[in-house]
Amino acid sequence: MTASSGPLSGLLVADFSRVLAGPYATMLLADLGAEVVKVESPAGDDTRSWSPPVRDGVSTYYLGVNRNKRSVVLDLKDDGDRAAAQELARRADVLMENFKPGGLARFGLDYDAVAATNPGIVYASITGFGSGPGGRDLPGYDLIVQAISGLMSLTGSPDGEPFRAGISVFDVMAGLHASIGVLSALHARHDTGRGQHVEVNLLSSALSGLVNQSSAFVAGGVVPHRMGNSHPSLFPYEPLPCSDRDLVVTAGNNGQFRRLVEVLGVPELADDPRFARNEDRTAHRDALRPLLVDRLRTRTAMEWFTDIIAAGVPCGPINTVDGGVAFAEGVGLEPVVHVGEGDAAVPSIRNPIRFSDSQARYDLPPPSLDADGEAIRRWLSEPTPARDEEPR
């Protein structure tokens, strides 16, 4: 096995999570050098069967969040496999799980049981609605949280039905919060020598992630509502139609608005008292919008994009996903990496974090079910290794 590199090299993560939030968090840790052992039931992670689409018969959903990991099948109802899982937890720096609260207690893998033999463990639990009596029994699905949190009430046309976001946005957000929590607890362990239980739930991540919309209610007493693609506090800050397709235009201050209308050939709008300040433009958006659209419809979105960006006003075309990847390539972000080598390499989206003195790793393609099971089970059956030793 090739030794891992990166800023988290040397950390061992026991990954008991499934589907998206937990696997996304552990993939980020693995990218940065942590050794992640993905523990799966005999049936495997649910996302292995979530298709289409597929690549070489494997779900692209699974491929998207499981690189740089090793897979071992452990049936927690089997005495030998359960003992191996407990030994993995005893040796790990981090344990990540997203079972229902208390779900791992019957296997001796809850926080108290693991911390009793491994007091340095950073034990991360991701749930839907927390571990308290009011939320512990509620199923933690992203779509349900999008509904309950209020996000869907904000998404869609003002006179239309509520819509879900195009991705499981709160699963991803909870995964990010979990990874932040893990790294914070590891930092604290340097001072105390002790690990701790890190808890993240989708609803809390959702309410935090609603930022200005949740703040509008808790700080201002205002209940936000659906506005389509419009912004409640800024205008223009939305897609506007050009001759071929929409262009998102975001003039966030008075100087940007003046430059925008100069490029559009209607500089007098900047001095119109209805549009002089942002609050004026927001109040009179119904009058201003058609004046901007009348000019934008005279050219294509990309023609306007070039000129408006050159004037220092943020804007961007509405792309499909392939266009988004191509745009990232065009600006030099190199968004696609190949994980693994040769015919086994899998295209994947680059880890978004860049360091001046470290780099992410892309050496292990998402593993087939139990791909490393024999080596990991053999390693766990041996006497406790030195801290820098790894399963081979």
Side-chain angles (χ1 to χ4, degrees):
M1 185 181 73
T2 303
S4 64
S5 61
L8 298 183
S9 178
L11 285 177
L12 175 61
V13 178
D15 184 5
F16 286 82
S17 66
R18 301 96 70 204
V19 187
L20 181 52
Y24 183 66
T26 55
M27 182 183 74
L28 297 178
L29 300 178
D31 289 349
L32 302 182
E35 182 68 31
V36 175
V37 176
K38 183 177 178 67
V39 179
E40 300 186 70
S41 72
D45 192 310
D46 290 356
T47 60
R48 288 183 181 274
S49 62
W50 286 9
S51 61
V54 299
R55 177 184 176 84
D56 297 332
V58 181
S59 161
T60 58
Y61 199 122
Y62 168 79
L63 294 177
V65 291
N66 284 290
R67 66 180 174 231
N68 291 323
K69 304 178 185 180
R70 301 182 185 279
S71 170
V72 59
V73 166
L74 295 176
D75 184 351
L76 299 183
K77 298 177 182 178
D78 176 85
D79 290 345
D81 281 3
R82 184 168 59 254
Q86 292 169 350
E87 177 63 14
L88 175 62
R90 189 182 71 81
R91 299 185 185 192
D93 295 286
V94 177
L95 188 151
M96 181 81 66
E97 61 93 11
N98 59 354
F99 284 70
K100 289 183 68 173
L104 284 175
R106 62 192 176 113
F107 304 118
L109 289 165
D110 56 301
Y111 172 67
D112 288 339
V114 173
T117 61
N118 182 1
I121 190 71
V122 172
Y123 189 109
S125 298
I126 302 175
T127 64
F129 299 90
S131 58
R136 61 183 297 118
D137 294 326
L138 298 177
Y141 288 84
D142 180 272
L143 179 57
I144 295 173
V145 176
Q146 289 196 35
I148 289 175
S149 67
L151 175 67
M152 290 180 66
S153 76
L154 302 172
T155 309
S157 300
D159 55 353
E161 61 181 304
F163 276 91
R164 65 179 287 270
I167 62 165
S168 295
V169 61
F170 295 138
D171 270 333
V172 172
M173 201 174 288
L176 290 169
H177 289 160
S179 60
I180 293 169
V182 163
L183 296 176
S184 300
L186 288 171
H187 180 75
R189 191 176 73 174
H190 285 299
D191 294 329
T192 66
R194 300 188 305 274
Q196 56 185 298
H197 193 183
V198 176
E199 296 187 77
V200 172
N201 69 81
L202 269 65
L203 183 56
S204 293
S205 287
L207 295 177
S208 174
L210 287 174
V211 287
N212 60 300
Q213 302 286 26
S214 51
S215 180
F217 170 66
V218 301
V222 174
V223 178
H225 59 276
R226 284 194 302 283
M227 298 182 64
N229 287 316
S230 297
H231 193 287
S233 308
L234 293 172
F235 187 84
Y237 197 94
E238 63 185 57
L240 298 172
C242 300
S243 65
D244 58 342
R245 55 175 168 154
D246 284 1
L247 181 73
V248 171
V249 179
T250 61
N253 57 53
N254 296 336
Q256 288 178 347
F257 179 70
R258 180 173 294 276
R259 292 194 294 275
L260 171 66
V261 294
E262 287 173 353
V263 171
L264 295 182
V266 282
E268 65 276 7
L269 294 181
D271 297 315
D272 189 313
R274 296 174 298 171
F275 313 136
R277 302 173 303 163
N278 174 69
E279 52 265 48
D280 301 322
R281 295 188 291 274
T282 301
H284 297 97
R285 68 173 74 215
D286 290 342
L288 178 55
R289 191 178 195 277
L291 299 176
L292 301 178
V293 170
D294 183 62
R295 295 298 305 151
L296 288 166
R297 284 194 185 278
T298 63
R299 301 172 69 196
T300 68
M302 288 308 296
E303 288 171 337
W304 280 122
F305 170 73
T306 300
D307 289 349
I308 293 173
I309 284 292
V313 180
C315 67
I318 298 178
N319 292 323
T320 50
V321 173
D322 58 326
V325 172
F327 191 94
E329 290 173 341
V331 297
L333 294 180
E334 301 177 319
V336 179
V337 293
H338 287 79
V339 184
E341 298 180 356
D343 294 339
V346 176
S348 190
I349 293 296
R350 179 183 297 277
N351 186 297
I353 304 170
R354 302 216 182 193
F355 298 88
S356 64
D357 196 34
S358 302
Q359 60 183 349
R361 58 190 280 240
Y362 304 103
D363 53 335
L364 298 177
S368 58
L369 184 62
D370 203 39
D372 309 281
E374 181 179 353
I376 291 171
R377 286 186 288 269
R378 183 175 65 249
W379 174 66
L380 292 172
S381 68
E382 297 170 350
T384 302
R387 196 61 177 159
D388 60 352
E389 193 174 329
E390 298 172 328
R392 301 183 187 280

